Amino acid sequence: MAAEQGTQLSEAQIAVHWREENYYHPPAKFIGQANAADPAIFERFSEQRFPECFKEYADLLTWDAYWHTTLDTSNPPFWKWFVGGRLNASYNCVDRHLATSRNKAAFIWVPELETEETKAITYQELYRRVNEFAALLRDFCGVRVGDRVTFHLPMVPELPVSMLACARLGVVHSEVFGGFSGVACGERIADSGSHILVTMDGYYRNGELIDHKARADEAVAKARDLGAGVDKVLVWRRHPGQYASRSPMVPGRDFFVDDLLRDYRRTVVEPVSMPAEAPLFLMYTSGTTARPKGCQHSTGGYLAYVTGTSKYYQDIHPEDTYWCFADIGWITGHSYIVYGPLSLGTTSVMYEGVPAYPDPGRPWRIAERLGVTIFHTAPTTIRMLRKLGPDEPPKYDYHFKHMTTVGEPIEPDVWRWYHDVVGKGEAVIVDTWWQTENGGFLGSTLPALKPMKPGSCGPGVLGVYPVIYDENGAVVEAGSGRAGNICIRNPWPGIFQTIWGQPERFVQIYYEKYCRNKQSKDWRDWPYFAGDGAVQAADGYFRILGRVDDVINVAGHRLGTKELESASLTVEEIAEAAAVPVMDELRGRAVEMYVSVKPGVAPSRAIEEKVAKAIETEIGKIARPKNIWIVPDMPKTRSGKIMRRVIAAISNFTDVGDTTTLANPGVVDDIRHHVQAEKVGRGEVPRKLSPQEIEEIKAFGRAE
Ligand code: WTA
């Protein structure tokens, strides 16, 4: 770091210039029916009313015992919400709707193959299925309150059923995204200390039935290597009665859920009344180190927060058909496919497959057939659908009243296509900024009450007060045109409780940087550091620039550079590895790996392929690098640190900046000539980058 001073820009020094976008106003038809249409709501959630304002969200739930303290700050930054309250999340998402909506669809599940029938699962059926699976977990697996159970499930109804069954028992679920590798799943099993793995034999992806059970075997083996034993693997079958995997069932360890469930028919499991502060689930995410972090979310605060934000920001009404086109394996799916919408008693669409299968008209056919009114997706999907089928949406007779974008910055141009073509100019859009750690939205416009501005998420949401600080903790003023680190000044009910098993890292990563006084029990002294760079316009709207902590956001998936690098280093021939982001038309960012080989090893295509394979094995296919460059040496500081910003600049054809402080400045030109010549040959020269993108590349790796 010391050797770097002078060349390294802090976020706060970066002046960001872009064209101010024009406002778009919500359609009158939307305003007339919105859940939040009276500006008095801003008053109700004003800072003077904090934290009691969040009673409004908690009151959307059914409590077994009311809480006595809204926010307990006695042990900062381990905030406690709704202390003294008791409730059950499964009861709130299922049982309480039976009286009025027993026969309403909770989920409409759309299989990827169009030849397979769409399935509606009513609240009544969901109730039965959740109870029966809860009974199986309790009586066959012996899990108890507070135990952890890991899932490695794709986008099938069995996933929410499994989640709600755990919630019913007070058991903590930990879903690992279905696209992650067996090894990645095994690491998460070991970290969470769960002894049960719930998986599925196969699922459809691009028309192909994937052998998913094979990954369970790898996961169990990896967990065992890490000293963790898995007692039972519960295997749901994509087609009950028919096993789709080639991997053999291990006697005494592996069981077909559909077989076992016969013994639990009609069994009813009383929902366990849990303290508001009991953990509901873990969701692993990437950060600055190789080890993934298990974000622990609470029961009462989390559920209240996702219910309230689903109501006001997703504008869900009982008669809406809501489709969040995300994977439940990510936080978006937990909060805005499962817990928020079900808590409100909504009908939610769940789709198994990829967006453009078998053609880019598919999402719009689903929307037309099911009468979807609210559509929620990520910029990467929007970009892909725009590229593959720019003229498809008008061919279908659907009408959205509301659309969401989440997970990455959206280019104004892509936003406009979403608004004009996908939304047919009839829908309001919310651009929701938040993170796995946050439980629910942090930045967004309130759809009927604030105009939209393409590329900006908007101000902080109700009861959330963001601020931008520079490196020294001084406030970067709105309208200054300067960027800095976006932080949240106050706690909110959806904030995660800790990193599972690593409370010190929780404090250090998220609170240490801007804590004013470690002794203080006043929340005002403990701003939450989000790890994103941002700029605030004069109107108070935030524009999120991206991560400041060595996380590369690929198609909305957070990949840690350290994880990618340690996966590459599992290849015997590799001496050093560095991961950098490269601008990608569809995925936002893609990963490029730079590796150097050990002495005496000759670079070859085979080694590149080994690195790619290692990354797929350790993390998953989603992390496969766009390019792997074998270089003679990495550009390094005199203290031996790899200068990621220099290679990032080479990959993106931007200025490498001052390299005179490097220990080996000579390698920079060699690498540049080699890499850029190859890229030109492959037609991979990026479009002209925006000033913000150039700054992002310049600043890459500064977190070290
Ligand atoms: C980025 C996803 C710009 C951001 C819910 C954040 C966004 C990271 C937006 C979290 C948005 C998320 N505009 N950037 N609307 N939403 N991000 O944990 O960098 O998978 O820190 O949570 O995605 O990703 P995560």
Side-chain angles (χ1 to χ4, degrees):
M1 184 80 193
E4 268 310 290
Q5 265 153 19
T7 58
Q8 191 143 3
L9 279 173
S10 76
E11 274 291 345
Q13 291 167 289
I14 297 171
V16 182
H17 306 286
W18 67 73
R19 195 164 64 88
E20 259 302 306
E21 296 290 332
N22 294 328
Y23 287 131
Y24 284 62
H25 293 276
K29 205 170 152 191
F30 178 84
I31 299 174
Q33 59 81 65
N35 281 330
D38 178 357
I41 197 166
F42 293 118
E43 191 47 44
R44 297 206 299 279
F45 281 87
S46 68
E47 211 173 327
Q48 294 69 38
R49 304 242 165 120
F50 179 85
E52 299 306 323
C53 55
F54 283 114
K55 179 179 184 306
E56 184 164 338
Y57 284 2
D59 283 345
L60 297 171
L61 305 181
T62 305
W63 294 80
D64 305 330
Y66 219 59
W67 65 93
H68 50 71
T69 306
T70 305
L71 172 63
D72 172 352
T73 63
S74 59
N75 181 25
F78 299 90
W79 318 117
K80 293 198 172 87
W81 283 91
F82 310 124
V83 185
R86 297 188 81 93
L87 77 167
N88 182 280
S90 161
Y91 178 88
N92 272 278
C93 290
V94 187
D95 306 38
R96 68 167 174 156
H97 304 309
L98 295 180
T100 52
S101 316
R102 189 179 289 276
N103 294 321
K104 174 177 176 174
F107 285 112
I108 303 176
W109 181 63
V110 183
E112 192 189 65
L113 299 185
E114 281 187 296
T115 47
E116 265 191 81
E117 286 295 329
T118 293
K119 281 188 194 148
I121 296 159
T122 63
Y123 276 92
Q124 164 67 22
E125 185 180 354
L126 185 62
Y127 171 77
R128 284 282 178 210
R129 294 188 64 177
V130 167
N131 273 278
E132 290 169 6
F133 192 60
L136 187 161
L137 285 173
R138 182 188 63 189
D139 301 342
F140 183 74
C141 300
V143 295
R144 295 284 172 267
V145 169
D147 287 350
R148 278 79 55 211
V149 170
T150 301
F151 308 154
H152 196 200
L153 287 168
M155 280 294 283
V156 288
E158 287 75 7
L159 174 49
V161 165
S162 303
M163 291 163 70
L164 294 162
C166 283
R168 201 163 187 86
L169 298 168
V171 164
V172 180
H173 57 75
S174 171
E175 153 73 359
V176 177
F177 170 58
F180 271 137
S181 68
V183 169
C185 179
E187 282 168 358
R188 288 156 177 78
I189 292 174
D191 189 83
S192 66
S194 57
H195 300 291
I196 310 289
L197 172 62
V198 182
T199 188
M200 185 166 254
D201 60 344
Y203 62 96
Y204 286 94
R205 206 101 203 122
N206 271 314
E208 211 187 298
L209 188 58
I210 305 247
D211 186 343
H212 189 60
K213 161 64 169 59
R215 295 180 185 148
D217 300 322
E218 291 160 18
V220 172
K222 179 70 187 182
R224 197 191 312 115
D225 288 351
L226 295 168
V230 173
D231 305 331
K232 290 190 169 67
V233 178
L234 303 181
V235 183
W236 292 94
R237 280 187 279 197
R238 175 65 175 70
H239 301 283
Q242 275 167 261
Y243 186 45
S245 168
R246 273 194 296 275
S247 130
M249 295 289 279
V250 177
R253 187 197 75 179
D254 299 354
F255 303 90
F256 290 129
V257 180
D258 53 305
D259 284 349
L260 296 176
L261 276 176
R262 280 191 216 114
D263 294 341
Y264 298 94
R265 256 189 70 205
R266 284 194 302 268
T267 314
V268 170
V269 173
E270 270 308 299
V272 178
S273 187
M274 298 299 291
E277 273 306 293
L280 179 62
F281 67 87
L282 304 180
M283 169 63 63
Y284 281 85
T285 190
S286 299
T288 36
T289 58
R291 182 173 167 198
K293 320 178 265 195
C295 298
Q296 177 185 316
H297 284 282
S298 73
T299 306
Y302 170 81
L303 196 62
Y305 197 68
V306 298
T307 306
T309 49
S310 293
K311 178 168 175 181
Y312 293 138
Y313 288 90
Q314 294 307 113
D315 199 54
I316 291 175
H317 294 248
E319 60 278 13
D320 280 313
T321 302
Y322 168 83
W323 183 13
C324 174
F325 197 167
D327 196 295
I328 296 176
W330 305 110
I331 191 69
T332 301
H334 274 51
S335 299
Y336 297 110
I337 299 179
V338 181
Y339 286 112
L342 288 184
S343 170
L344 291 173
T346 317
T347 295
S348 246
V349 177
M350 236 185 112
Y351 171 56
E352 177 182 31
V354 299
Y357 183 84
D359 59 72
R362 184 70 189 280
W364 323 126
R365 277 204 292 288
I366 294 172
E368 174 186 87
R369 157 87 74 104
L370 303 179
V372 172
T373 51
I374 305 177
F375 184 70
H376 186 158
T377 194
T380 187
T381 307
I382 304 169
R383 289 191 289 258
M384 181 204 286
L385 291 167
R386 177 170 84 147
K387 174 155 192 205
L388 300 177
D391 305 320
E392 287 300 305
K395 296 182 190 159
Y396 297 90
D397 179 24
Y398 66 83
H399 296 278
F400 297 147
K401 69 167 192 184
H402 180 294
M403 304 194 298
T404 304
T405 168
V406 62
E408 344 151 47
I410 184 165
E411 300 78 359
D413 205 38
V414 176
W415 190 99
R416 277 187 283 273
W417 183 77
Y418 195 39
H419 179 270
D420 300 346
V421 181
V422 176
K424 305 178 178 184
E426 302 166 332
V428 76
I429 297 182
V430 290
D431 178 345
T432 59
W433 166 70
W434 60 297
Q435 316 168 303
T436 305
E437 293 87 337
N438 308 150
F441 305 146
L442 289 184
S444 170
T445 49
L446 202 45
L449 293 171
K450 293 265 181 197
M452 307 160 245
K453 192 159 72 175
S456 298
C457 66
V461 298
L462 295 169
V464 166
Y465 304 102
V467 61
I468 298 178
Y469 290 127
D470 69 12
E471 284 301 314
N472 307 316
V475 173
V476 178
E477 297 297 337
S480 67
R482 287 189 307 136
N485 295 316
I486 187 164
C487 295
I488 309 296
R489 288 196 285 112
N490 62 307
W492 64 97
I495 181 71
F496 71 139
Q497 300 174 294
T498 188
I499 300 175
W500 179 261
Q502 303 181 73
E504 313 77 30
R505 266 184 82 202
F506 169 75
V507 179
Q508 184 231 322
I509 296 172
Y510 300 97
Y511 293 97
E512 209 142 76
K513 191 170 175 82
Y514 293 116
C515 179
R516 289 190 196 91
N517 170 7
K518 286 188 140 180
Q519 261 49 50
S520 170
K521 299 201 184 308
D522 185 340
W523 56 261
R524 289 169 193 80
D525 290 321
W526 293 86
Y528 167 83
F529 173 70
D532 276 325
V535 181
Q536 189 176 26
D539 60 8
Y541 281 31
F542 292 94
R543 181 156 174 151
I544 306 298
L545 304 174
R547 305 288 312 185
V548 297
D549 63 352
D550 289 357
V551 167
I552 305 178
N553 191 334
V554 178
H557 305 326
R558 274 165 70 172
L559 300 174
T561 50
K562 291 284 185 306
E563 280 168 77
L564 291 155
E565 291 161 10
S566 41
S568 308
L569 291 170
T570 63
V571 176
E572 214 192 312
E573 292 89 341
I574 300 301
E576 284 184 308
V580 296
V582 59
M583 301 301 158
D584 186 90
E585 199 197 331
L586 289 182
R587 290 173 288 179
R589 305 285 175 275
V591 173
E592 291 204 357
M593 287 305 304
Y594 283 75
V595 294
S596 64
V597 289
K598 289 180 182 160
V601 177
S604 68
R605 269 254 174 247
I607 292 178
E608 286 176 23
E609 192 43 38
K610 270 189 174 178
V611 172
K613 269 268 160 290
I615 290 172
E616 278 187 23
T617 307
E618 297 290 314
I619 306 172
K621 275 209 166 61
I622 44 164
R624 194 180 164 100
K626 183 166 184 168
N627 287 307
I628 295 164
W629 305 111
I630 302 180
V631 294
D633 194 9
M634 300 277 186
K636 286 189 193 132
T637 62
R638 293 200 182 101
S639 57
K641 286 223 167 87
I642 300 177
M643 287 306 301
R644 289 179 179 72
R645 67 166 178 80
V646 172
I647 45 185
I650 294 174
S651 276
N652 290 283
F653 288 77
T654 57
D655 180 8
V656 293
D658 180 7
T659 53
T660 52
T661 58
L662 295 186
N664 53 352
V667 303
V668 176
D669 275 343
D670 293 349
I671 299 177
R672 187 173 46 202
H673 287 136
H674 167 66
V675 167
Q676 295 188 344
E678 276 284 325
K679 283 187 164 235
V680 168
R682 294 180 198 175
E684 279 182 22
V685 182
R687 60 178 160 75
K688 198 170 165 324
L689 303 192
S690 71
Q692 303 94 277
E693 288 169 335
I694 292 173
E695 293 306 338
E696 178 189 324
I697 298 302
K698 260 194 207 164
F700 190 71
R702 67 192 164 276
E704 285 171 88

